[in-house]
Amino acid sequence: MARPRKPLLSRDRIVEAAGVLVDTEGLEAVSTRRLAAALGVSGPSLYNHFRTKDEILDAVADAVSSRVDLSMFDGGQDWRAALHAWAHSYRDALADHPNIVPVLARGPGRRPAGLRLADAVFGAMTEAGWPAAHATRIGALMRYFILGSAVGSFARGFVDDRAAYDPADYPHLGQAHLLAERQHEVDEGAFETGLEALLDGLALQYDALARAATRDA
């Protein structure tokens, strides 16, 4: 009886296996040896698809970026509503993959999904009337905010132990031991508060630019 054939090695299989390693053990866990063992192949066979570890990590990062919804930039929403919806979609895409954030933070480089994301945001902002320089800054600051929020949990940074926050030492942290059990409420609330504040500030700049353009016309 013929033995079942092993699935053919492909870029997608390598990226999927690397993504699992990144999610469970971090970026340093990704190596040719570990991936080859996980995929049941020889190490050199990986080089038929990727030349370096960095290329593999780039592909993992781009797979995460590809899950970000960009449809709000084509649906006729105003720029503020579109940025709000996109920010939540981007953060949701990162929620289960915080270990890949340092790779995403390097910028899109040559990654197709990352470039489509940058193109969509910049295009939507310029079409809404933002000057190109401002549109570039908006894309950058939104990425800083979203990626930063995905790195870790503020609430889980506090331990569930009242004794750790002696009022004699920390007079304002009497309820800090409750934060961990309220992680979702605290972290989601913080993200929404920051996002609204950021968009409020941009709206003020947008109105000021519109008034200046009217005066100069």
Side-chain angles (χ1 to χ4, degrees), residues 197-216:
L198 188 156
L199 294 175
D200 284 346
L202 287 177
L204 291 174
Q205 290 188 36
Y206 186 77
D207 291 343
L209 287 169
R211 288 194 300 270
T214 300
R215 286 196 305 270
D216 295 339

Side-chain angles (χ1 to χ4, degrees), residues 101-175:
V101 170
V103 179
L104 288 165
R106 299 172 193 164
R110 298 176 183 270
R111 299 192 296 267
L115 290 170
R116 285 193 294 272
L117 188 154
D119 181 73
V121 175
F122 181 81
M125 295 305 101
T126 54
E127 288 172 10
W130 284 98
H134 285 74
T136 300
R137 295 169 197 160
I138 289 170
L141 72 89
M142 292 295 291
R143 285 184 63 257
Y144 297 153
F145 176 68
I146 297 164
L147 295 178
S149 75
V151 170
S153 165
F154 174 81
R156 278 170 39 187
F158 295 85
V159 298
D160 184 15
D161 179 6
R162 183 190 294 268
Y165 308 105
D166 189 329
D169 296 319
Y170 315 108
H172 305 296
L173 296 181
Q175 301 297 307

